Amino acid sequence: MNSEFRSGPGQLRQFRTHTSEFVILFLTLLYLLLPTHNSSLDAWYYAACVRHGHELLLAHHLLYNPTGWLWVKALQGLGLPVESLAALKALNALAAGTGLLVLHRLLRLLLPEKATWPWLLLTGASFGMLRFATENETYVEPLLLSLLASLAWARYQLGGQRAGHLLWAGLWAALACLVHQIHFFWWLGLLLGTGWYAGHKLRSLLLYILPALLVPLAYVAALPSWHEPLTISALWRFVFHDYYAGTAGGSVSGHGLLLSGINLVRTFGQLHGSTLALLRLYPGLWAVAAGFLGLLSYAAWLLWQSFRQRLRVPVPATAPAVGPVMRTHLLILALQLLFAVYSEGNAEFMVMVPALLAVVASVGLPWVPVRAVAVLGVALLGWNLAFGLVPANQLRFTNNDALLTRIQREPASWFLLDNHNLVLNQLHYRTGQPVAPPNVLPVPTLLVQRPGQSPARLRQWLRAQLQAGHRVYTNGLAGPQLLDRAQLVYGNQNAELLQGFQTQKVDSFATSFGSYYLTEIR
């Protein structure tokens, strides 16, 4: 046989050595090539802020918009034709790919090279990573910074506890908190790990905490942009702005626990009201579902076989040196999950779970076969591409272009809209006007839930507007009925609230799941 087709042991080892790099490159290309074309309302808002220079310093994620603004300005400086929303998605894709590269470096400190790539695949193919790596949201960039903090902290722990590594760990963790406050718990976990495992505890704690002084300094520097006085009270209210404004908060409840379980599953695999609709539109996707279940069953069988073998023959214990790294990241994982549960099961606060799980499980569960992890990673990648990334990139879930034009053309008319905040943020992005037009309101079902409102008051208000000669429209009466949260909670309440009024469809907006209609209320 020709020598160029022979594969010796050395070539096999070389292939294994480069498998992780191939996985990282492949996933990064997927992130870049499959950005969502159905951006969230927050994504439109951040893009509008960057595009028009509005509200760049937001308290909950102070440095996210400034980072995007610098990125867009840099691309424009190179003479590239830049569309802000698309450019910001590309930045997150690159951040996600870099995060996988950092995770690889971290895992290499803990595992043999051949055991790292399945965990990288599982992390990068999880829906939480795929979703936010292809969207202009605030969760991938701080994850990259926290992984850099963990890499530096692991080097500190495994490399003789050198002060320089600990300072870098504190700096990266502090910067992650400035990009999104949710990463405070990652910073806290590394702090507690430092206090528990460091040789010179007080000195080590001070070294780790020192870079965190950047956080209050950054918030103090941001206060003038919000026209706030330099006082302790103003600083406190600015740092916790979202909690005072009612846009953040939480509690522990049965409903929150249920959502936490659902969203933890969705962090790994896409599940949505669109799933059944996609299966109806494209029956060939049933083959993907069957393949996914087959691979899942195979991975479960491999796990069971390995577990039975572990009961008969004890698995060699984890190297004592890596134990502190694993246990510290288990603490971080627990802190992040507990806060996500407290935040009513917030799916966005679980984005870091796959990466943390890779660090914890790869070391703490040495009996888990890497083949099972690889099979699970392949299964999740296939499922999430078929039901998540590709539909979000190729299909149109909403179609607001004509609606935005009508709203601008009819400032005296009222628009009672499903997902009205998405429309407002798209208007902001389109027009550069940060003040929301007062004639765009939520659908009747949500209007009656506002303080002091009721179905009777809504009907009274509608009659007053019609008598004054104002036209009133809604898009909440007719359209595809996807099995999503809103449909389950509210059902057909919009039609019930409008009983007694005449309605007539005046426009339609085509989507991949059918047409939505703009209906005039008379």
Side-chain angles (χ1 to χ4, degrees):
M1 182 184 291
N2 193 313
S3 61
E4 66 179 302
F5 294 106
R6 296 194 185 109
S7 178
Q11 290 172 302
L12 182 59
R13 283 195 297 270
Q14 186 179 27
F15 170 76
R16 288 175 177 171
T17 300
H18 293 293
T19 304
S20 294
E21 286 81 356
F22 172 78
V23 168
I24 294 168
L25 179 61
F26 174 71
L27 289 171
T28 304
L29 288 174
L30 281 182
Y31 303 153
L32 285 167
L33 295 174
L34 293 173
T36 180
H37 289 154
N38 297 276
S39 285
S40 67
L41 63 93
D42 285 342
W44 281 101
Y45 173 64
Y46 305 141
C49 290
V50 167
R51 184 180 188 183
H52 304 292
H54 299 155
E55 297 181 353
L56 291 177
L57 298 171
L58 298 170
H60 206 51
H61 24 76
L62 191 71
L63 296 186
Y64 181 76
N65 279 348
T67 302
W69 185 84
L70 290 171
W71 166 254
V72 170
K73 291 299 179 185
L75 294 178
Q76 291 172 344
L78 295 173
L80 299 175
V82 174
E83 197 273 318
S84 295
L85 182 58
L88 294 168
K89 292 175 191 175
L91 177 60
N92 272 337
L94 294 172
T98 307
L100 291 176
L101 183 61
V102 174
L103 179 61
H104 177 229
R105 298 285 179 86
L106 175 58
L107 292 176
R108 280 295 290 115
L109 297 176
L110 312 174
L111 307 170
E113 169 62 31
K114 65 180 181 180
T116 60
W117 73 264
W119 291 104
L120 291 172
L121 177 62
L122 180 64
T123 301
S126 297
F127 184 64
M129 180 69 86
L130 290 168
R131 173 188 176 188
F132 292 112
T134 55
E135 176 63 292
N136 176 35
E137 288 274 11
T138 58
Y139 304 103
V140 171
E141 292 171 29
L143 176 59
L144 165 60
L145 294 168
S146 285
L147 285 169
L148 284 167
S150 287
L151 177 60
W153 195 89
R155 286 173 172 167
Y156 162 80
Q157 188 63 38
L158 301 173
Q161 298 197 348
R162 294 169 55 189
H165 289 318
L166 195 57
L167 277 170
W168 276 110
L171 177 62
W172 291 124
L175 289 174
C177 294
L178 286 172
V179 178
H180 200 295
Q181 290 177 352
I182 185 61
H183 281 259
F184 164 77
F185 296 100
W186 200 307
W187 178 89
L188 178 62
L190 292 180
L191 173 71
L192 295 174
T194 302
W196 187 260
Y197 293 112
H200 303 281
K201 296 190 185 303
L202 181 59
R203 173 176 172 270
S204 299
L205 287 171
L206 290 174
L207 282 172
Y208 179 77
I209 291 172
L210 183 62
L213 293 175
L214 287 173
V215 175
L217 289 175
Y219 276 96
V220 168
L223 267 179
S225 71
W226 285 83
H227 308 291
E228 294 286 348
L230 292 175
T231 64
I232 297 297
S233 175
L235 179 63
W236 180 267
R237 291 188 68 86
F238 177 59
V239 171
F240 297 104
H241 172 272
D242 286 26
Y243 294 93
Y244 284 108
T247 56
S251 63
V252 178
S253 65
H255 179 259
L257 289 172
L258 177 61
L259 279 179
S260 299
I262 294 171
N263 284 332
L264 183 59
V265 172
R266 291 191 68 231
T267 298
F268 292 91
Q270 163 69 322
L271 288 173
H272 190 264
S274 63
T275 304
L276 292 176
L278 286 168
L279 286 168
R280 286 195 297 267
L281 276 174
Y282 305 102
L285 289 176
W286 283 105
V288 175
F292 172 74
L293 291 175
L295 289 172
L296 209 61
S297 300
Y298 179 48
W301 181 80
L302 289 172
L303 281 171
W304 173 244
Q305 292 295 107
S306 181
F307 183 73
R308 290 178 59 191
Q309 177 71 13
R310 174 180 178 269
L311 294 177
R312 292 193 298 268
V313 181
V315 177
T318 301
V322 302
V325 179
M326 184 273 293
R327 288 188 286 273
T328 297
H329 285 81
L330 178 60
L331 173 62
I332 297 170
L333 176 60
L335 290 171
Q336 295 283 182
L337 278 176
L338 285 173
F339 188 74
V341 171
Y342 173 74
S343 302
E344 299 291 330
N346 193 320
E348 286 84 355
F349 293 174
M350 298 183 185
V351 177
M352 66 289 292
V353 167
L356 286 168
L357 186 66
V359 176
V360 172
S362 63
V363 176
L365 301 174
W367 57 271
V368 172
V370 292
R371 178 178 291 182
V373 179
V375 169
L376 181 57
V378 171
L380 288 176
L381 183 61
W383 175 275
N384 291 328
L385 282 175
F387 293 97
L389 255 66
V390 173
N393 175 264
Q394 295 293 318
L395 304 181
R396 193 161 195 174
F397 299 165
T398 59
N399 181 3
N400 291 332
D401 294 342
L403 178 59
L404 296 175
T405 301
R406 182 183 282 265
I407 291 171
Q408 291 179 271
R409 194 174 64 236
E410 299 186 32
S413 299
W414 292 96
F415 295 85
L416 312 184
L417 303 179
D418 180 44
N419 204 350
H420 80 294
N421 283 322
L422 172 64
V423 173
L424 291 175
N425 292 342
Q426 289 175 330
L427 280 171
H428 182 189
Y429 186 82
R430 175 188 280 201
T431 67
Q433 299 297 321
V435 179
N439 62 327
V440 178
L441 297 172
V443 288
T445 300
L446 299 179
L447 271 179
V448 298
Q449 296 180 14
R450 289 184 168 183
Q453 296 300 315
S454 67
R457 289 191 174 185
L458 170 67
R459 296 186 184 101
Q460 183 182 7
W461 176 83
L462 284 171
R463 293 189 188 98
Q465 299 309 314
L466 295 174
Q467 288 171 4
H470 298 297
R471 305 182 76 175
V472 183
Y473 303 100
T474 184
N475 65 350
L477 289 180
Q481 299 298 310
L482 298 181
L483 189 62
D484 57 12
R485 181 180 176 182
Q487 179 63 24
L488 290 172
V489 173
Y490 299 118
N492 200 32
Q493 291 182 26
N494 287 322
E496 295 172 8
L497 288 168
L498 294 175
Q499 285 182 358
F501 293 90
Q502 294 182 1
T503 58
Q504 181 176 347
K505 296 175 182 175
V506 295
D507 205 347
S508 62
F509 315 114
T511 74
S512 298
F513 299 114
S515 293
Y516 287 86
Y517 295 92
L518 188 66
T519 301
E520 185 173 0
I521 303 168
R522 298 174 177 176

PDB file of all heavy atoms in Angstrom, residues 423-439:
ATOM      1  N   VAL A 423     -40.934  45.080  19.296  1.00  0.00           N
ATOM      2  CA  VAL A 423     -41.233  46.104  18.288  1.00  0.00           C
ATOM      3  C   VAL A 423     -40.616  47.439  18.682  1.00  0.00           C
ATOM      4  O   VAL A 423     -40.025  48.144  17.846  1.00  0.00           O
ATOM      5  CB  VAL A 423     -42.758  46.224  18.102  1.00  0.00           C
ATOM      6  CG1 VAL A 423     -43.104  47.407  17.195  1.00  0.00           C
ATOM      7  CG2 VAL A 423     -43.330  44.935  17.535  1.00  0.00           C
ATOM      8  N   LEU A 424     -40.721  47.816  19.946  1.00  0.00           N
ATOM      9  CA  LEU A 424     -40.143  49.086  20.405  1.00  0.00           C
ATOM     10  C   LEU A 424     -38.628  49.104  20.218  1.00  0.00           C
ATOM     11  O   LEU A 424     -38.057  50.110  19.785  1.00  0.00           O
ATOM     12  CB  LEU A 424     -40.494  49.318  21.876  1.00  0.00           C
ATOM     13  CG  LEU A 424     -41.963  49.618  22.183  1.00  0.00           C
ATOM     14  CD1 LEU A 424     -42.185  49.704  23.688  1.00  0.00           C
ATOM     15  CD2 LEU A 424     -42.406  50.914  21.507  1.00  0.00           C
ATOM     16  N   ASN A 425     -37.967  47.999  20.519  1.00  0.00           N
ATOM     17  CA  ASN A 425     -36.511  47.958  20.367  1.00  0.00           C
ATOM     18  C   ASN A 425     -36.093  47.941  18.896  1.00  0.00           C
ATOM     19  O   ASN A 425     -35.064  48.514  18.527  1.00  0.00           O
ATOM     20  CB  ASN A 425     -35.948  46.740  21.095  1.00  0.00           C
ATOM     21  CG  ASN A 425     -36.080  46.859  22.606  1.00  0.00           C
ATOM     22  OD1 ASN A 425     -36.272  47.968  23.124  1.00  0.00           O
ATOM     23  ND2 ASN A 425     -36.001  45.753  23.311  1.00  0.00           N
ATOM     24  N   GLN A 426     -36.898  47.306  18.053  1.00  0.00           N
ATOM     25  CA  GLN A 426     -36.615  47.360  16.616  1.00  0.00           C
ATOM     26  C   GLN A 426     -36.805  48.772  16.082  1.00  0.00           C
ATOM     27  O   GLN A 426     -36.041  49.223  15.218  1.00  0.00           O
ATOM     28  CB  GLN A 426     -37.519  46.368  15.874  1.00  0.00           C
ATOM     29  CG  GLN A 426     -37.144  44.915  16.122  1.00  0.00           C
ATOM     30  CD  GLN A 426     -38.120  43.935  15.489  1.00  0.00           C
ATOM     31  OE1 GLN A 426     -39.312  44.232  15.348  1.00  0.00           O
ATOM     32  NE2 GLN A 426     -37.635  42.763  15.122  1.00  0.00           N
ATOM     33  N   LEU A 427     -37.807  49.480  16.589  1.00  0.00           N
ATOM     34  CA  LEU A 427     -37.985  50.892  16.209  1.00  0.00           C
ATOM     35  C   LEU A 427     -36.797  51.729  16.661  1.00  0.00           C
ATOM     36  O   LEU A 427     -36.314  52.600  15.925  1.00  0.00           O
ATOM     37  CB  LEU A 427     -39.270  51.443  16.820  1.00  0.00           C
ATOM     38  CG  LEU A 427     -40.587  51.105  16.117  1.00  0.00           C
ATOM     39  CD1 LEU A 427     -41.766  51.540  16.972  1.00  0.00           C
ATOM     40  CD2 LEU A 427     -40.658  51.762  14.741  1.00  0.00           C
ATOM     41  N   HIS A 428     -36.332  51.483  17.865  1.00  0.00           N
ATOM     42  CA  HIS A 428     -35.151  52.196  18.381  1.00  0.00           C
ATOM     43  C   HIS A 428     -33.947  51.953  17.471  1.00  0.00           C
ATOM     44  O   HIS A 428     -33.219  52.881  17.104  1.00  0.00           O
ATOM     45  CB  HIS A 428     -34.867  51.710  19.808  1.00  0.00           C
ATOM     46  CG  HIS A 428     -33.708  52.389  20.474  1.00  0.00           C
ATOM     47  ND1 HIS A 428     -33.199  51.966  21.686  1.00  0.00           N
ATOM     48  CD2 HIS A 428     -32.937  53.455  20.110  1.00  0.00           C
ATOM     49  CE1 HIS A 428     -32.200  52.746  22.027  1.00  0.00           C
ATOM     50  NE2 HIS A 428     -32.007  53.639  21.086  1.00  0.00           N
ATOM     51  N   TYR A 429     -33.736  50.691  17.090  1.00  0.00           N
ATOM     52  CA  TYR A 429     -32.608  50.357  16.208  1.00  0.00           C
ATOM     53  C   TYR A 429     -32.758  51.033  14.854  1.00  0.00           C
ATOM     54  O   TYR A 429     -31.803  51.543  14.279  1.00  0.00           O
ATOM     55  CB  TYR A 429     -32.536  48.844  16.036  1.00  0.00           C
ATOM     56  CG  TYR A 429     -31.334  48.358  15.257  1.00  0.00           C
ATOM     57  CD1 TYR A 429     -30.103  48.200  15.874  1.00  0.00           C
ATOM     58  CD2 TYR A 429     -31.432  48.049  13.896  1.00  0.00           C
ATOM     59  CE1 TYR A 429     -28.996  47.748  15.168  1.00  0.00           C
ATOM     60  CE2 TYR A 429     -30.338  47.595  13.185  1.00  0.00           C
ATOM     61  CZ  TYR A 429     -29.121  47.448  13.826  1.00  0.00           C
ATOM     62  OH  TYR A 429     -28.032  47.014  13.121  1.00  0.00           O
ATOM     63  N   ARG A 430     -33.990  51.058  14.336  1.00  0.00           N
ATOM     64  CA  ARG A 430     -34.237  51.611  12.998  1.00  0.00           C
ATOM     65  C   ARG A 430     -34.135  53.132  12.985  1.00  0.00           C
ATOM     66  O   ARG A 430     -33.540  53.714  12.075  1.00  0.00           O
ATOM     67  CB  ARG A 430     -35.616  51.172  12.507  1.00  0.00           C
ATOM     68  CG  ARG A 430     -36.019  51.793  11.185  1.00  0.00           C
ATOM     69  CD  ARG A 430     -37.465  51.492  10.801  1.00  0.00           C
ATOM     70  NE  ARG A 430     -37.623  50.163  10.212  1.00  0.00           N
ATOM     71  CZ  ARG A 430     -38.650  49.818   9.447  1.00  0.00           C
ATOM     72  NH1 ARG A 430     -39.626  50.681   9.191  1.00  0.00           N
ATOM     73  NH2 ARG A 430     -38.739  48.601   8.943  1.00  0.00           N
ATOM     74  N   THR A 431     -34.709  53.786  13.990  1.00  0.00           N
ATOM     75  CA  THR A 431     -34.848  55.246  13.952  1.00  0.00           C
ATOM     76  C   THR A 431     -33.805  55.997  14.758  1.00  0.00           C
ATOM     77  O   THR A 431     -33.578  57.189  14.529  1.00  0.00           O
ATOM     78  CB  THR A 431     -36.230  55.655  14.477  1.00  0.00           C
ATOM     79  OG1 THR A 431     -36.325  55.340  15.882  1.00  0.00           O
ATOM     80  CG2 THR A 431     -37.334  54.936  13.728  1.00  0.00           C
ATOM     81  N   GLY A 432     -33.208  55.333  15.739  1.00  0.00           N
ATOM     82  CA  GLY A 432     -32.287  56.039  16.624  1.00  0.00           C
ATOM     83  C   GLY A 432     -32.979  56.858  17.686  1.00  0.00           C
ATOM     84  O   GLY A 432     -32.331  57.618  18.406  1.00  0.00           O
ATOM     85  N   GLN A 433     -34.294  56.688  17.836  1.00  0.00           N
ATOM     86  CA  GLN A 433     -35.059  57.415  18.853  1.00  0.00           C
ATOM     87  C   GLN A 433     -35.211  56.520  20.092  1.00  0.00           C
ATOM     88  O   GLN A 433     -35.946  55.542  20.064  1.00  0.00           O
ATOM     89  CB  GLN A 433     -36.444  57.802  18.317  1.00  0.00           C
ATOM     90  CG  GLN A 433     -36.399  58.708  17.108  1.00  0.00           C
ATOM     91  CD  GLN A 433     -35.757  60.055  17.415  1.00  0.00           C
ATOM     92  OE1 GLN A 433     -35.969  60.625  18.482  1.00  0.00           O
ATOM     93  NE2 GLN A 433     -34.955  60.555  16.483  1.00  0.00           N
ATOM     94  N   PRO A 434     -34.513  56.858  21.194  1.00  0.00           N
ATOM     95  CA  PRO A 434     -34.568  55.974  22.359  1.00  0.00           C
ATOM     96  C   PRO A 434     -35.867  56.047  23.139  1.00  0.00           C
ATOM     97  O   PRO A 434     -36.190  55.130  23.896  1.00  0.00           O
ATOM     98  CB  PRO A 434     -33.395  56.467  23.218  1.00  0.00           C
ATOM     99  CG  PRO A 434     -33.230  57.904  22.833  1.00  0.00           C
ATOM    100  CD  PRO A 434     -33.607  57.998  21.386  1.00  0.00           C
ATOM    101  N   VAL A 435     -36.637  57.129  22.979  1.00  0.00           N
ATOM    102  CA  VAL A 435     -37.899  57.272  23.700  1.00  0.00           C
ATOM    103  C   VAL A 435     -38.983  56.491  22.957  1.00  0.00           C
ATOM    104  O   VAL A 435     -39.240  56.747  21.775  1.00  0.00           O
ATOM    105  CB  VAL A 435     -38.297  58.752  23.837  1.00  0.00           C
ATOM    106  CG1 VAL A 435     -39.629  58.873  24.571  1.00  0.00           C
ATOM    107  CG2 VAL A 435     -37.208  59.523  24.583  1.00  0.00           C
ATOM    108  N   ALA A 436     -39.620  55.554  23.653  1.00  0.00           N
ATOM    109  CA  ALA A 436     -40.616  54.707  23.009  1.00  0.00           C
ATOM    110  C   ALA A 436     -41.841  55.509  22.615  1.00  0.00           C
ATOM    111  O   ALA A 436     -42.315  56.345  23.397  1.00  0.00           O
ATOM    112  CB  ALA A 436     -41.022  53.579  23.954  1.00  0.00           C
ATOM    113  N   PRO A 437     -42.384  55.289  21.419  1.00  0.00           N
ATOM    114  CA  PRO A 437     -43.632  55.967  21.038  1.00  0.00           C
ATOM    115  C   PRO A 437     -44.763  55.524  21.957  1.00  0.00           C
ATOM    116  O   PRO A 437     -44.917  54.325  22.235  1.00  0.00           O
ATOM    117  CB  PRO A 437     -43.860  55.520  19.591  1.00  0.00           C
ATOM    118  CG  PRO A 437     -43.076  54.262  19.442  1.00  0.00           C
ATOM    119  CD  PRO A 437     -41.899  54.392  20.348  1.00  0.00           C
ATOM    120  N   PRO A 438     -45.591  56.448  22.433  1.00  0.00           N
ATOM    121  CA  PRO A 438     -46.631  56.093  23.417  1.00  0.00           C
ATOM    122  C   PRO A 438     -47.779  55.289  22.840  1.00  0.00           C
ATOM    123  O   PRO A 438     -48.604  54.758  23.600  1.00  0.00           O
ATOM    124  CB  PRO A 438     -47.125  57.465  23.901  1.00  0.00           C
ATOM    125  CG  PRO A 438     -46.826  58.399  22.759  1.00  0.00           C
ATOM    126  CD  PRO A 438     -45.567  57.887  22.127  1.00  0.00           C
ATOM    127  N   ASN A 439     -47.857  55.184  21.522  1.00  0.00           N
ATOM    128  CA  ASN A 439     -48.998  54.493  20.920  1.00  0.00           C
ATOM    129  C   ASN A 439     -48.766  52.998  20.721  1.00  0.00           C
ATOM    130  O   ASN A 439     -49.610  52.303  20.157  1.00  0.00           O
ATOM    131  CB  ASN A 439     -49.361  55.135  19.575  1.00  0.00           C
ATOM    132  CG  ASN A 439     -48.228  55.037  18.563  1.00  0.00           C
ATOM    133  OD1 ASN A 439     -47.050  55.070  18.925  1.00  0.00           O
ATOM    134  ND2 ASN A 439     -48.574  54.927  17.289  1.00  0.00           N
TER     135      ASN A 439
END
